[in-house]
Amino acid sequence: MTEPPVAPVPGLPALAGLCSLDAARAPALPVAEVVGRLKRLHFAARRVHGLLLFRLPSEPLYELKMLYSHHAYLCAEITAALRARVAEMREPPLGLDDPPPAALAQAFDEVASAPDGAHLCLGLYRVLLPALDTAFEALDRDVHPLADAPTRRLCRHARLDLADVLATGAQAADALAATLDATPDAWLDELRAALAAAGGLDGTRDATASAPAPRYSATPRPFDPVPRRDARFPDPYNMAVNAEAFLYEPSYPPPPKLLMLAYKRLREIDVPEMMASIIVETPGKPWAYSLDMTRQLWDEARHAMMGEVLFAALGVDWPSEVPVNFTWSLGLNTQLTPLERHAVLYFIEQGLMPKLGKRYEWEIASQTDLPLAATFQDYDWADEVLHARIGRQWYVSDMPSHTEALRHGDRCWSRVLMGWEEWREAGLTAHENWWPALYRAACARHGWPVDPAVEAFATSYAEQRADLKSVSHSA
Ligand SMILES: [Fe+2]
Ligand SMILES: [Fe+2]
């Protein structure tokens, strides 16, 4: 017996919900034209990623370092999605590295060479990134909703991230503009004119005659790997308090260890500073490398911000109570090659895996009455497992063996000169032991009994124990 045919149900979504039948009847952009636009968008997203990292170490403002870490990661994801879509569109050879029109490149070169952080921020968030978003919006509108549904989806997802980037970037640009005597409107107009000379960021408009003469990119700005910090880091060479020696001392109770965990997390500002320098100074890698490394860079920025939040939860005003140093990124960025920096990063992160590592930090946090600390350490630990994979894939794979990869990292780390004595002699720091005052204030705030042994902690990084060397930093 045959079943009766199923009657169509009125009102079901047509065309898998992509659009109406009517909307699908109009022809739209050919594949070649979409690929051309995707390549322009790819160039823009990749350049923004690159120039954010290019400026990250030398940008002194803490909030901007964190914001740029986030935005660089989002741009890396958008770039990856664009590359993947171009590769699906009958394209090999992909031509993703072909040079763009000179006027388009000039707009991005100008921002990369901007004379200060305010110009950089204004150029990025008032001109380049709004133009990128507009180009995605136009592509979303212009592609065929059925035939090119994958590109539409890509545009819509990219614009979700770009909406966050533009909103927070505009806030940053407004804040920095308020610090200037006058906003550099003439220069911002020159950037717009350069885009116009290229037919718009996506090349969909008639190109205007010529771009204005380059202003700042006439002499390209060199990469500056030296980390800079703002006034909330008044003693950045201070290495008086060995956080690891304190954390791993079994006789100390967990609550004061929260202060050291917060310090260790916040100090991770130097990992994005260091990783940005690796990515910028390691050209020629596949995009998967940049994507993975930028993801880790962003994770490390989040770890730093978890430290900021932990200090706030503990009632600590860290800029006045805790001298967070930058000696690690300073040493690595100025004394080692990019591959050697990666070796040190991997060596240190491997040291965080065994007993005295991430699990231990989570256990300590879990033994306190601050559940937020356990939440943060739990994720810090999980992120570390991802970072170990990234290290194996992009560092260890370039070495003869895992053992040699670790040995090389150990050797490079040992070679980095921490000028404990020299910095003191040069008057850069007195290496003042800030621990007792921080501890006493926290005891008063939280009603912890003052333990004289804990208060007397005075181990600095000058007398670092050999068994703590691999974990004498957190990444
Ligand atoms: Fe890490
Ligand atoms: Fe980290």
Side-chain angles (χ1 to χ4, degrees), residues 222-412:
F223 175 60
D224 181 1
V226 178
R228 290 181 67 210
R229 299 286 177 88
D230 63 36
R232 286 166 290 184
F233 302 82
D235 190 5
Y237 294 89
N238 186 319
M239 294 188 74
V241 178
N242 190 319
E244 293 75 25
F246 186 91
L247 271 180
Y248 305 136
E249 171 50 56
S251 68
Y252 297 159
K257 288 182 177 176
L258 284 173
L259 297 164
M260 286 301 192
L261 282 177
Y263 168 61
K264 271 172 67 78
R265 294 288 75 78
L266 182 56
R267 196 178 56 182
E268 289 193 62
I269 300 163
D270 58 9
V271 193
E273 288 170 340
M274 193 285 280
M275 290 197 74
S277 78
I278 299 181
I279 300 167
V280 168
E281 298 188 312
T282 310
K285 288 284 189 185
W287 191 254
Y289 168 89
S290 302
L291 181 61
D292 270 352
M293 294 289 280
T294 310
R295 166 58 197 270
Q296 179 173 346
L297 180 153
W298 164 229
D299 290 348
E300 308 295 8
R302 286 192 297 109
H303 298 166
M305 291 185 283
M306 293 195 289
E308 179 192 3
V309 176
L310 273 182
F311 271 139
L314 290 163
V316 173
D317 175 45
W318 60 267
S320 65
E321 295 184 67
V322 184
V324 176
N325 61 42
F326 68 175
T327 49
W328 188 76
S329 54
L330 178 70
L332 267 65
N333 284 14
T334 58
Q335 297 175 35
L336 298 181
T337 67
L339 190 66
E340 288 170 342
R341 283 171 230 153
H342 205 168
V344 171
L345 180 67
Y346 185 74
F347 171 69
I348 288 176
E349 291 198 308
Q350 283 300 293
L352 300 173
M353 282 297 141
K355 200 162 98 308
L356 290 184
K358 292 297 168 190
R359 172 194 286 275
Y360 175 83
E361 290 185 345
W362 171 73
E363 285 170 353
I364 290 292
S366 302
Q367 290 162 32
T368 71
D369 55 7
L370 188 62
L372 175 70
T375 301
F376 282 173
Q377 291 304 144
D378 200 12
Y379 281 86
D380 183 68
W381 179 14
D383 289 343
E384 212 49 60
V385 178
L386 171 64
H387 301 170
R389 192 277 291 164
I390 292 172
R392 281 194 303 278
Q393 187 166 348
W394 299 113
Y395 163 63
V396 179
S397 62
D398 275 353
M399 300 299 290
S401 68
H402 190 257
T403 311
E404 186 45 39
L406 280 177
R407 239 186 246 139
H408 184 55
D410 190 3
R411 276 195 302 265
C412 294

Side-chain angles (χ1 to χ4, degrees), residues 51-114:
L51 65 88
L52 284 168
L53 297 186
F54 185 78
R55 300 293 287 255
L56 192 148
S58 59
E59 170 53 61
L61 289 164
Y62 165 67
E63 288 85 356
L64 291 184
K65 274 192 209 288
M66 299 296 105
L67 193 73
Y68 291 171
S69 298
H70 187 201
H71 291 181
Y73 165 64
L74 294 177
C75 287
E77 289 283 8
I78 291 170
T79 302
L82 286 162
R83 295 177 77 87
R85 183 62 188 138
V86 169
E88 292 168 354
M89 298 185 84
R90 224 169 46 208
E91 197 43 23
L94 301 182
L96 286 163
D97 298 317
D98 293 350
L104 182 62
Q106 182 184 315
F108 289 83
D109 292 345
E110 276 291 297
V111 177
S113 290

